[in-house]
């Protein structure tokens, strides 16, 4: 339970909105989000992060900045992925709290008010949990369920299943996330790792009003791989156990061969057994080297110390500078 604290009834809210190929609907979304925030507090900002869109998203948002003083625009130099876009937005917010929300209307805007109420009750992180995955394919539902079960079994950090990026973060959580310099970012894991009093709020996923999702099975698999490598070293450690077991079996088999030779004499060599054993051990070695390579690749990407994202353009932040 959170420690009760006096928090403002009308906090300064920063909304982080990652956008990729949302030109068709981003204007309507910004207008609806502005109306929602204005009904909660007079102090708010909307930080739209264009993650290298291939359509006219950047131009549409840039034009909106001229008529909406609460709108901030970050245009990344290329597509870095949603995790990097969220990081860019979090790095630039000025509010007492930040709300992370997608630009496709699938996250219900009305839930933001409930997020703020839970924050006022003392929770530092309020995260949305989808009521159902009925809108997804059976393969995607099964894959998501398997991933979260596997990750929570492998990791010491408890990551809530069915919780995405739709959430409210207190300023202390924002600062904690900004203090993490790692490049291989799995945001759902980082939210859980920082801790702080948290509470779930169920919501019903809405229909996309425009466009199609750009996050396919391949992207989900890459994100799952990043999450496991970033938050568990069990796959590395398990191969020590496999090595011990295989060695013990080999020694036991060698002892049996010695005993059988002394007791029954030399038999015809078992070529089939030899080939199967060699292929089995070869496969085990290649698999273990592959897993080791994934972790080594993660280390390689970290030591290069490249920035998580690069910004090509910023608009609207001069409004924040004038008020600070």
């Amino acid at each position: 339970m959170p420690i009760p604290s006096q928090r403002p009834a009308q906090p300064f809210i920063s909304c982080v909105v990652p956008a990729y190929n949302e030109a068709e609907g981003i204007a309507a979304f910004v207008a609806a989000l502005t109306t929602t925030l204005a009904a909660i507090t007079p102090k708010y900002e909307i930080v739209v992060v264009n993650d290298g869109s291939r359509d006219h998203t950047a131009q549409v948002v840039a034009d909106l900045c001229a008529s909406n003083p609460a709108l901030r625009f970050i245009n990344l130099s290329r597509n870095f992925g949603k995790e990097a876009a969220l990081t860019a937005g979090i790095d630039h917010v000025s509010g007492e709290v930040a709300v992370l929300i997608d630009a496709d209307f699938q996250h219900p805007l009305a839930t933001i008010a409930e997020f703020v109420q839970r924050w006022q009750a003392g929770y530092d992180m309020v995260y949305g949990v989808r009521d159902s995955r009925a809108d997804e394919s059976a393969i995607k539902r099964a894959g998501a369920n398997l991933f979260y079960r596997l990750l929570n079994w492998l990791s010491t950090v408890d990551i809530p299943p069915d919780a995405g990026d739709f959430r409210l973060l207190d300023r202390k959580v924002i600062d904690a996330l900004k203090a993490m310099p790692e490049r291989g970012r799995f945001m759902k894991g980082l939210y859980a790792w920082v801790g702080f009093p948290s509470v779930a709020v169920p919501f019903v996923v809405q229909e996309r009003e425009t466009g199609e999702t750009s996050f396919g099975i391949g992207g989900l698999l890459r994100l799952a791989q990043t999450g496991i490598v970033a938050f568990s070293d069990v796959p590395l450690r398990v191969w020590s156990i496999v090595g011990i077991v295989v060695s013990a079996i080999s020694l036991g088999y060698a002892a049996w061969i010695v005993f059988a030779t002394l007791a029954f004499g030399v038999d015809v060599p078992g070529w089939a057994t030899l080939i199967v054993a060699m292929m089995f051990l070869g496969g085990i070695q290649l698999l273990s080297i592959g897993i080791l390579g994934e972790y080594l690749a993660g280390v390689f990407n970290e030591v290069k110390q490249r920035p998580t994202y690069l910004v090509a353009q910023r608009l609207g932040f001069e409004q924040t500078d004038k008020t600070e």
Side-chain angles (χ1 to χ4, degrees):
M1 291 295 293
I3 300 175
S5 61
Q6 190 66 31
R7 288 178 168 174
Q10 295 181 322
F12 182 2
I13 301 176
S14 297
C15 273
V16 176
V17 185
Y20 180 71
N21 294 342
E22 299 288 354
E24 188 177 350
I26 190 68
F29 177 79
V30 169
L33 182 58
T34 300
T35 301
T36 299
L37 294 174
I40 299 173
T41 177
K43 300 169 290 184
Y44 61 89
E45 65 177 0
I46 300 172
V47 182
V48 177
V49 184
N50 178 43
D51 187 25
S53 296
R54 298 179 181 178
D55 61 5
H56 302 297
T57 299
Q59 187 59 54
V60 172
V61 180
D63 292 342
L64 290 174
C65 285
S67 58
N68 190 339
L71 186 59
R72 319 279 183 254
F73 178 46
I74 302 172
N75 190 24
L76 301 186
S77 62
R78 65 171 177 84
N79 178 250
F80 287 90
K82 187 179 181 182
E83 311 296 292
L86 287 170
T87 300
I90 290 171
D91 287 346
H92 286 80
V93 297
S94 304
E96 296 169 88
V97 299
V99 175
L100 314 183
I101 187 169
D102 289 348
D104 53 12
F105 283 100
Q106 289 196 292
H107 295 156
L109 299 179
T111 308
I112 296 176
E114 187 173 356
F115 281 1
V116 174
Q117 291 172 2
R118 297 299 183 93
W119 173 77
Q120 290 167 338
Y123 290 99
D124 293 324
M125 191 182 322
V126 187
Y127 57 90
V129 175
R130 53 193 303 161
D131 255 353
S132 169
R133 288 186 175 269
D135 58 314
E136 297 179 342
S137 66
I139 295 177
K140 191 173 181 180
R141 288 199 302 270
N145 183 55
L146 175 62
F147 167 68
Y148 281 110
R149 285 179 179 272
L150 179 62
L151 184 58
N152 284 324
W153 178 66
L154 294 175
S155 173
T156 56
V157 177
D158 185 21
I159 300 175
D162 298 326
D165 295 307
F166 184 35
R167 62 186 62 221
L168 178 147
L169 310 175
D170 182 79
R171 170 50 64 177
K172 62 172 68 75
V173 180
I174 296 169
D175 292 339
L177 291 172
K178 289 170 67 174
M180 296 181 178
E182 58 195 81
R183 275 75 179 168
R185 302 184 75 81
F186 178 62
M187 296 302 294
K188 297 177 185 63
L190 295 179
Y191 303 141
W193 188 90
V194 297
F196 298 104
S198 305
V199 65
V201 172
F203 71 94
V204 178
V205 177
Q206 309 297 304
E207 291 288 335
R208 285 183 65 97
E209 298 221 348
T210 59
E212 296 179 354
T213 180
S214 58
F215 209 57
I217 298 297
L220 291 173
L221 290 175
R222 287 191 295 272
L223 185 63
Q225 175 187 338
T226 300
I228 292 174
V229 171
F231 284 91
S232 177
D233 59 2
V234 172
L236 281 177
R237 296 179 182 274
V238 74
W239 290 107
S240 298
I241 299 173
V242 171
I244 292 173
V245 171
V246 172
S247 297
I249 293 174
S250 300
L251 289 174
Y253 186 58
W256 165 254
I257 291 175
V258 171
F259 170 77
T261 301
L262 295 176
F264 309 111
V266 179
D267 199 359
V268 177
W271 294 108
T273 302
L274 181 61
I275 294 300
V276 169
M278 290 176 60
M279 293 180 65
F280 172 75
L281 292 176
I284 289 290
Q285 290 172 341
L286 290 174
L287 181 59
S288 60
I289 290 172
I291 291 176
L292 180 62
E294 292 296 335
Y295 283 88
L296 186 58
V299 174
F300 177 63
N301 288 328
E302 293 293 333
V303 299
K304 286 187 292 187
Q305 296 189 345
R306 290 176 182 169
T308 304
Y309 59 88
L310 293 173
V311 176
Q313 183 184 24
R314 292 182 180 88
L315 293 176
F317 288 94
E318 59 274 7
Q319 304 292 336
T320 304
D321 296 338
K322 290 178 183 178
T323 59
E324 291 180 343

